[in-house]
């Protein structure tokens, strides 16, 4: 036989129910302490001499869809210790029941804390109102700050990276505990001195995973000279791909000459492509002016003053990085070009019909995109020399040279074959980058030195020089299992939480919701 439910089972331990008054809008429970005597908070002397009583109102968890309020008959006691400076004191309850000066019970405080952790201020307040929990947004934020507990476990393996308070304006630093897969600390900026001071305060760190930026590497080298620095493998792969893309951009003039597209046929261009081509012609005039000034021995600072261009643009021109004609994004038809080619070869030449068949295959683009492709293809067939078609962008060429031939169409295969035979240095750079990426994936750390020596003689020499300067961290990235991927994932979580807080996501609140949440 199950025992009956008593009113005392609904309240925290240590309290006795005197009276329950239920109203349509609220339940009021009058309680008092179950202890006859309490200890003085100053000297610890046990006292049972009651001086007076007063009423204390404390909110508790809701009951049957109605908010609950405790009306506590609190007592004041006299302290009989001769040397105690406190003559009268108020009884205190256990911290897990009601904290000192609290207006909520500990269990209600815990629910409010978890609501604040999960949702922040305003969203948590709206949910608390539906749950009949009387907590305002400012109170939730105060609870978050009050219950923040920074991790005290010693750190051994960390990942460090920057994150944007406001992109291109203000940045912070995130430190992630890679062993426990959680955020260890948030720093207010990404200055080297700030990171160095934090790292110096944690001498127990043995491994530091970072990106390829020099700031954190120098800070770790100065603060923790014995720690092993690990370069992020994803950034190494991405930097290698970007180096090959830069090599393609620098070789665009040679590519156009090889595939016979040095002259652009304006009849095959759409309106948007014609605007880009006109911009390319204007850039070529600017490039010629800058190259002429550089050939005359004019320094970069003087070229900037004479032309009004930025220093970065002038450097890009001198390095041959502004010779691409079409710099548009990848077309939504990229994945459907083999199907389009097959339909076109099979006799389907109507743009609307092509679009409908693509829709059946999962295409989500508009009819206009397919119609422009059909128009351009129809015009190209009316011209005898198909080599006068517009050249693909540098990004497209880099992608096609890096992917397998079985994924390319016949026209793309012929184009890439012409580029490889006409610009052998670019094909060699492609093979060098592919070899580096294979080296990273397979963990062949012993082959890194020979790869650097070969890469320095190719079009990706600048990338090889950067790898040589950071060779120790790159070798650690190949041999050790640690990387900065977990840190990147925590940055995504941090940005999500920061945007949920609608501008109130200051460093202390972010620390409370992300670092102290565990």
């Amino acid at each position: 036989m199950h025992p009956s439910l008593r009113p005392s089972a609904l309240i925290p331990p240590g309290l006795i129910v005197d009276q329950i008054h239920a109203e349509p809008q609220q339940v009021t429970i009058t309680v008092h302490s179950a202890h006859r005597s309490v200890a003085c908070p100053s000297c610890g002397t046990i006292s049972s001499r009651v001086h007076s009583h007063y009423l204390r109102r404390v909110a508790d968890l809701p009951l049957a869809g109605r908010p609950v309020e405790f009306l506590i008959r609190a007592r004041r006691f006299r302290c009989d210790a001769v040397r105690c400076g406190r003559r009268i004191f108020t009884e205190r309850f256990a911290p897990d029941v009601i904290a000192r000066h609290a207006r909520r019970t500990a269990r209600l405080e815990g629910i409010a804390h978890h609501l604040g952790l999960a949702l922040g201020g305003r969203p948590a307040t709206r949910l608390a109102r539906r749950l009949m929990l009387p907590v305002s947004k400012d109170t939730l934020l105060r609870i978050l700050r009050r219950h923040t507990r920074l991790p005290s476990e010693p750190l051994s393996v960390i990942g460090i990276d920057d994150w944007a308070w406001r992109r291109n304006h203000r940045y912070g630093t995130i430190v992630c505990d890679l062993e426990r897969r959680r955020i260890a600390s948030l720093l207010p900026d990404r200055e080297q001195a700030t990171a160095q001071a934090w790292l110096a305060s944690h001498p127990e760190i043995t491994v530091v995973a970072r990106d390829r930026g020099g700031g954190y590497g120098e800070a770790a080298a100065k603060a923790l000279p014995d720690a092993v620095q690990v370069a992020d493998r994803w950034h190494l792969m991405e930097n290698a791909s970007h180096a090959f893309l830069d090599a393609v951009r620098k070789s665009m003039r040679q590519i156009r000459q090889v595939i016979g597209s040095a002259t652009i046929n304006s009849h095959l261009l759409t309106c948007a492509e014609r605007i880009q081509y006109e911009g390319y012609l204007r850039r070529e005039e600017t490039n010629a002016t800058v190259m002429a000034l550089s050939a005359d021995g004019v320094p970069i600072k003087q070229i900037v003053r004479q032309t009004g261009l930025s220093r970065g643009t002038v450097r890009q021109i001198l390095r041959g990085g502004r010779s691409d004609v079409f710099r548009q994004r990848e077309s939504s038809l990229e994945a459907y070009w083999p199907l389009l080619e097959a339909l076109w070869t099979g006799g389907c030449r109507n743009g609307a019909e092509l679009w409908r068949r693509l829709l059946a295959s999962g295409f989500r683009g508009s009819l206009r995109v397919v119609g422009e492709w059909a128009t351009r293809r129809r015009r190209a067939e009316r011209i005898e020399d198909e080599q006068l078609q517009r050249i693909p962008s540098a990004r497209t060429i880099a992608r096609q040279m890096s992917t397998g031939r079985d994924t390319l169409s016949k026209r793309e295969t012929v184009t890439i074959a012409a580029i490889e035979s006409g610009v052998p240095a670019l094909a060699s750079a492609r093979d060098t980058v592919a070899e580096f990426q294979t080296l990273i994936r397979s963990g062949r750390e012993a082959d890194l030195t020979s790869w650097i020596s070969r890469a320095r003689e190719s079009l990706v020499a600048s990338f090889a020089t950067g790898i040589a300067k950071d060779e120790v961290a790159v070798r650690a990235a190949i041999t050790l299992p640690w990387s900065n991927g977990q840190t990147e994932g925590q940055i995504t979580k941090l940005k999500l939480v920061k945007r949920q807080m609608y501008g109130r996501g200051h460093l202390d609140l972010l620390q409370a919701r992300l670092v102290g949440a565990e």
Side-chain angles (χ1 to χ4, degrees):
M1 182 176 180
H2 297 285
S4 60
L5 181 64
R6 298 182 178 181
S8 59
L10 302 176
I11 63 175
L15 300 177
I16 298 177
V17 178
D18 294 333
Q19 184 182 4
I20 298 178
H21 183 64
E23 298 179 354
Q25 302 298 328
Q26 180 177 308
V27 176
T28 303
I29 304 177
T30 304
V31 298
H32 68 275
S33 176
H35 304 286
R36 290 181 175 272
S37 59
V38 295
C40 174
S42 296
C43 63
T45 303
I46 303 298
S47 175
S48 59
R49 295 179 59 196
V50 179
H51 173 270
S52 59
H53 298 78
Y54 74 98
L55 295 179
R56 181 178 176 185
R57 296 180 181 272
V58 178
D60 192 42
L61 297 177
L63 178 64
R66 288 176 288 182
V68 175
E69 182 183 55
F70 284 163
L71 194 60
I72 304 176
R73 297 180 67 251
R75 299 168 292 180
R76 296 187 181 93
F77 288 85
R78 297 182 184 273
C79 182
D80 295 331
V82 177
R83 296 184 178 181
C84 182
R86 179 174 298 188
R87 309 309 303 168
I88 299 174
F89 64 91
T90 302
E91 67 174 330
R92 298 179 182 178
F93 301 90
D96 58 345
V97 177
I98 302 173
R100 184 186 178 189
H101 303 308
R103 302 298 299 273
R104 290 164 297 279
T105 59
R107 58 188 185 182
L108 176 58
E109 184 98 349
I111 295 297
H113 180 222
H114 285 288
L115 283 176
L117 285 177
L119 300 176
R122 294 182 187 272
T125 301
R126 290 192 291 267
L127 180 58
R129 190 180 300 117
R130 285 183 170 271
L131 297 176
M132 298 300 172
L133 302 179
V135 185
S136 67
K137 57 180 176 55
D138 293 320
T139 300
L140 281 169
L141 296 183
R142 284 195 296 268
I143 292 174
L144 278 175
R145 291 186 173 99
R146 183 164 58 245
H147 289 276
T148 300
R149 298 291 184 271
L150 298 182
S152 57
E153 299 90 349
L155 299 173
S156 179
V157 182
I158 67 166
I160 186 169
D161 203 353
D162 57 358
W163 56 278
W165 286 96
R166 184 184 176 193
R167 189 173 181 85
N168 296 328
H169 288 82
R170 183 187 172 198
Y171 289 83
T173 296
I174 182 173
V175 182
C176 182
D177 187 349
L178 297 184
E179 290 182 311
R180 299 176 181 87
R181 302 178 69 85
R182 57 175 293 180
I183 299 176
S185 182
L186 297 177
L187 305 181
D189 54 53
R190 60 175 179 179
E191 298 297 328
Q192 180 179 334
T194 304
Q196 181 178 341
W198 189 91
L199 292 172
S201 64
H202 296 78
E204 69 276 9
I205 296 175
T206 58
V207 177
V208 178
R210 55 170 177 80
D211 59 11
R212 304 218 41 237
Y216 293 126
E218 294 178 6
K222 293 179 180 179
L224 303 170
D226 297 331
V228 178
Q229 297 189 32
V230 181
D232 184 46
R233 284 187 289 274
W234 183 88
H235 282 93
L236 289 173
M237 303 289 280
E238 195 273 339
N239 293 154
S241 300
H242 194 271
F244 178 63
L245 177 59
D246 288 341
V248 174
R249 285 172 174 164
K250 294 177 182 178
S251 306
M252 286 304 293
R253 286 190 177 88
Q254 302 176 35
I255 292 174
R256 282 195 292 271
Q257 294 174 358
V258 166
I259 63 178
S261 295
T263 303
I264 303 297
N265 190 346
S266 59
H267 296 289
L268 296 179
L269 301 180
T270 63
C271 293
E273 293 169 348
R274 192 175 295 111
I275 293 175
Q276 293 186 35
Y277 179 61
E278 293 172 356
Y280 160 75
L281 296 179
R282 291 192 297 269
R283 288 197 304 274
E284 284 294 288
E285 295 178 1
T286 304
N287 295 352
T289 302
V290 172
M291 296 299 291
L293 291 174
S294 177
D296 294 339
V298 180
I300 292 180
K301 178 183 278 188
Q302 190 63 29
I303 295 176
V304 170
R305 292 176 180 174
Q306 292 184 16
T307 60
L309 301 173
S310 66
R311 179 182 291 269
T313 302
V314 173
R315 290 185 181 275
Q316 187 179 13
I317 294 173
L318 296 179
R319 293 171 181 172
R322 286 210 339 158
S323 60
D324 200 358
V325 181
F326 300 103
R327 298 181 297 172
Q328 76 281 1
R329 296 180 178 179
E330 297 291 336
S331 173
S332 58
L333 289 173
E334 291 273 347
Y336 299 92
W337 277 346
L339 178 59
L340 277 174
E341 290 288 342
L343 292 175
W344 188 272
T345 305
C348 183
R349 305 298 178 92
N350 183 267
E353 180 62 24
L354 288 171
W355 176 66
R356 284 190 290 269
R357 295 193 183 186
L358 289 182
L359 287 181
S361 301
F363 179 66
R364 296 185 178 181
S366 64
L367 172 62
R368 181 184 59 82
V369 177
V370 182
E372 287 184 355
W373 180 89
T375 301
R376 187 163 53 247
R377 181 63 184 272
R378 196 176 294 111
R379 290 176 181 175
E381 289 185 347
R382 288 198 297 262
I383 297 179
E384 295 181 357
D385 190 2
E386 291 191 357
Q387 291 183 344
L388 294 180
Q389 300 179 65
R390 71 175 183 87
I391 187 175
S393 65
R395 187 175 295 274
T396 301
I397 293 176
R399 177 183 59 79
Q400 293 174 355
M401 291 186 67
S402 303
T403 56
R405 292 294 179 86
D406 54 344
T407 62
L408 302 179
S409 65
K410 180 179 179 180
R411 177 184 301 174
E412 293 170 347
T413 303
V414 172
T415 302
I416 297 305
I419 293 174
E420 290 177 350
S421 61
V423 192
L426 191 59
S428 176
R430 187 266 315 275
D431 296 338
T432 301
V433 169
E435 181 183 357
F436 176 79
Q437 293 177 339
T438 303
L439 184 147
I440 295 294
R441 292 190 183 99
S442 59
R444 301 201 312 267
E445 179 260 345
D447 299 338
L448 183 61
T449 303
S450 59
W451 179 88
I452 292 175
S453 61
R454 291 193 302 271
R456 280 179 167 171
E457 300 176 357
S458 65
L459 294 179
V460 292
S462 59
F463 173 68
T465 302
I467 294 296
K469 292 180 180 179
D470 203 19
E471 185 174 353
V472 176
V474 174
R475 290 185 180 275
I478 298 174
T479 57
L480 297 180
W482 307 110
S483 190
N484 232 19
Q486 175 62 210
T487 307
E488 298 290 348
Q490 295 290 355
I491 290 176
T492 302
K493 178 181 177 182
L494 184 151
K495 290 182 178 180
L496 174 64
V497 172
K498 184 174 73 71
R499 289 170 181 142
Q500 285 179 344
M501 303 178 77
Y502 297 99
R504 297 195 66 174
H506 301 299
L507 188 64
D508 57 341
L509 287 177
L510 290 176
Q511 291 266 16
R513 293 191 64 183
L514 295 169
V515 183
E518 299 294 335

